[in-house]
DNA sequence: CAGTGTGAACCTTTTCACAGCA
DNA sequence: TGCTGTGAAAAGGTTCACACTG
């Protein structure tokens, strides 16, 4: 293949493959089959092969993929050969957790700054970074060439923070606040909502309970089947 | 419609609609058009109508949807008319953040227990709940009829904790550990990986940078277009 | 001959566009 | 008239199955 613009679904899985590949490499593997990689990433092998074929033909028929080379290719495709300075806005519980999360640094994301508006938090050192005032955002972004912002504020502040980030030159935002934020064309937003994930689980859980109920009573089960999310 | 088993994609958006609807209700709205709800949820109106049609015909042509009634229907469909006791395993930074997150309680999720293996953490009170030993998991699950477990441990412990949860009778797991966990048939798992979200953003950010680069040099741009994630 | 790479079939999701109802 | 509800079309994603190759 080797085309511009990889399918969105594939992009979403590349980091998964990358993590699995790095683990394999650390375990000493030099070569890997699509089947093995699939298992480690929690998908099926056809998907792995199709996904990887979008990056190019990096496998060897009858053998598999060279682990180190594939890691390099996936990193390059994802843009992880460079380092990404990020800014976290909102140093509450979640902001704290993210600031201390070692997984970011391991993957090339450096926390350039933490910002908040609470005067009690400013000056505090969290995860090795001193908390600054939100007003310093523009300066920090310019100085460190920050392209990615993370919003960990309450929902009520999310839109304003997003606007400030965009004004400061940030073009990619990861939003943990339980709110929809509006941004101009050209700015990417991804959101993670912890409560939403639980609600989705609750739906399937409830259906499982209903199914068990029906089974117990010996009613027709056909139309309640397939209750688990794939 | 009103069929058993709503499409997965729709289930994923219902909590989004619910949040928007609750906000609308709090703001005093009694009726809402698909267009308005769509905007508040960050999707388009056709999607809203199709999604809601899976629950039944709860709208009024020419008018819209009754906010209070629709909230009730969405809640019922998601299984949020009942309360869900949950258990959080791993009281590190993220576990702390989740234990203190008010959004859970607001949506009917009650933290029945926090468990960890670190003796220094056991007995500590976090977000109003005392941390207990992982060994107490089965007892806690039985006693509180817990159906949902949340894993906030390091990746290395995730699989073991998942197995213990399943053994204790938990059938739905929300996994924050950066690891793929294997569970038996019938157990649902959803995962949230903070670092993966950033990597996906990095991909699109990198592509935007590449596009800007090409533009600056006046090269053909066509095959690099459509760089933003939808 | 084991395992990749990929057309083709299949399934899911999104979008369109408009009939039909309050 | 204004908006829902929904078939039909289009797009996107997954799975199958096998030709091909190191």
């Amino acid at each position: 293949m080797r085309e511009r613009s990889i399918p969105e679904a594939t992009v979403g899985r590349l980091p998964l493959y990358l993590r699995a590949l790095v683990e394999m490499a650390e375990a000493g593997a030099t070569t890997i089959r699509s089947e093995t990689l699939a298992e480690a990433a929690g998908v099926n092998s056809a998907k792995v092969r199709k996904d990887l074929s979008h990056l190019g033909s990096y496998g060897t028929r009858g053998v598999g993929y060279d682990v180190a080379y594939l890691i390099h290719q996936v990193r390059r495709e994802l843009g992880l050969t460079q380092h990404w300075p990020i800014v976290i806005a909102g140093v509450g519980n979640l902001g704290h957790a993210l600031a201390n999360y070692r997984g970011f640094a391991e993957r090339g994301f450096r926390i350039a700054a933490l910002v908040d508006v609470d005067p009690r938090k400013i000056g505090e050192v969290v995860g090795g970074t001193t908390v600054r005032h939100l007003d310093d955002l523009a300066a920090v972004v310019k100085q460190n060439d920050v392209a990615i912002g993370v919003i960990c504020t309450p929902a009520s502040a999310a839109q304003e923070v997003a606007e400030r980030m965009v004004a400061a030159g940030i073009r990619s935002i990861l939003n943990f606040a339980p709110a929809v934020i509006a941004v101009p064309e050209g700015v990417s937003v991804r959101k993670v909502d912890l409560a939403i994930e639980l609600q989705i689980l609750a739906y399937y859980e409830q259906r499982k309970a209903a199914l068990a109920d029906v089974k117990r009573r010996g009613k027709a089960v056909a139309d309640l089947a397939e209750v688990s999310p794939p």
Side-chain angles (χ1 to χ4, degrees), chain A:
Chain A
M1 274 278 115
R2 201 68 199 92
E3 259 171 33
R4 298 288 79 202
S5 206
I6 289 174
E8 222 184 311
T10 297
V11 173
R13 283 186 296 263
L14 286 181
L16 225 58
Y17 300 151
L18 181 55
R19 192 173 70 200
L21 286 167
V22 169
E23 278 168 19
M24 298 290 173
E26 280 167 1
T30 60
T31 231
I32 192 173
R33 305 193 304 133
S34 62
E35 190 100 22
T36 315
L37 180 50
E39 204 176 337
V43 302
N44 66 47
S45 63
K47 218 179 254 178
V48 166
R49 290 200 302 279
K50 200 137 267 152
D51 284 342
L52 294 183
S53 78
H54 287 111
L55 316 191
S57 293
Y58 297 136
T60 308
R61 289 165 201 244
V63 179
Y65 303 88
D66 182 274
V67 176
Y69 186 57
L70 194 51
I71 286 175
H72 174 73
Q73 291 302 336
V74 175
R75 282 227 176 96
R76 191 185 46 70
E77 194 64 48
L78 284 173
L80 299 179
T81 46
Q82 64 183 288
H83 281 239
W84 293 98
I86 66 176
V87 160
I88 298 176
V91 192
N93 283 301
L94 185 58
H96 257 91
L98 296 181
N100 284 298
Y101 184 43
R102 317 202 65 247
F104 290 161
E106 281 165 17
R107 287 168 184 82
F109 298 96
R110 185 178 65 83
I111 297 177
L114 301 171
V115 298
D116 205 304
V117 289
D118 185 341
R120 283 166 303 179
K121 284 178 187 154
I122 293 164
E124 195 185 328
V125 178
V126 179
T129 309
T130 306
V131 179
R132 302 177 61 172
H133 194 279
L134 178 62
D135 290 343
D136 295 348
L137 186 67
V140 168
V141 168
K142 243 123 247 171
Q143 201 182 320
N144 295 274
D145 206 17
V146 175
I148 301 178
V150 181
I151 299 180
C152 301
T153 65
S156 55
Q159 181 61 43
E160 202 211 312
V161 169
E163 283 165 18
R164 291 233 207 174
M165 283 182 169
V166 171
I170 284 176
R171 288 156 306 170
S172 293
I173 295 175
L174 181 52
N175 179 27
F176 285 95
V180 174
I181 56 178
V183 294
E185 183 100 348
V187 177
S188 320
V189 177
R190 290 189 69 83
K191 63 177 164 23
V192 177
D193 188 319
L194 312 173
I196 282 182
E197 297 300 324
L198 273 185
Q199 289 171 69
I200 296 171
L201 276 179
Y203 170 80
Y204 290 107
E205 185 60 37
Q206 175 219 31
R207 303 223 69 204
K208 276 187 275 194
L211 175 61
D213 231 57
V214 169
K215 263 191 179 151
R216 212 175 302 122
R217 299 182 201 181
K219 283 196 202 156
V221 161
D223 61 359
L224 266 164
E226 197 54 53
V227 119
S228 302

